[in-house]
Amino acid sequence: MKRYPTISILTGTLNPSLLVFRQMLESVKMQRYPKKRMEHVVVDGGSTNGTGTLAKEYGCTEVSLPHL
């Protein structure tokens, strides 16, 4: 059995188009890589359009770093 390394996908964002953001999340979700060996971290700069909620719906870890 092939062993896969754990990978992290990092996405930085601030108020993206939710349509495009959802498409990106879907693309990551559809990758043919063992889901237990992959994490997706969304670093959000303080979005106010529901980006964090959408990221959580896709099982992403959300890190909020609002701009100063």
Side-chain angles (χ1 to χ4, degrees):
M1 181 175 171
K2 186 174 182 178
R3 295 194 39 94
Y4 290 89
T6 300
I7 63 167
S8 298
I9 299 168
L10 304 175
T11 303
T13 190
L14 176 61
N15 287 323
S17 159
L18 292 181
L19 175 63
V20 173
F21 188 62
R22 181 182 298 275
Q23 290 172 337
M24 181 275 302
L25 292 170
E26 278 292 327
S27 178
V28 170
K29 178 181 170 184
M30 299 306 295
Q31 296 300 307
R32 293 175 41 181
Y33 198 84
K35 303 303 182 224
K36 292 183 179 187
R37 307 297 295 170
M38 181 170 69
E39 71 172 337
H40 189 178
V41 179
V42 174
V43 181
D44 184 30
S47 294
T48 58
N49 66 349
T51 298
T53 301
L54 189 55
K56 289 177 187 171
E57 285 178 19
Y58 277 83
C60 300
T61 300
E62 183 198 12
V63 177
S64 183
L65 298 174
H67 56 283
L68 301 175

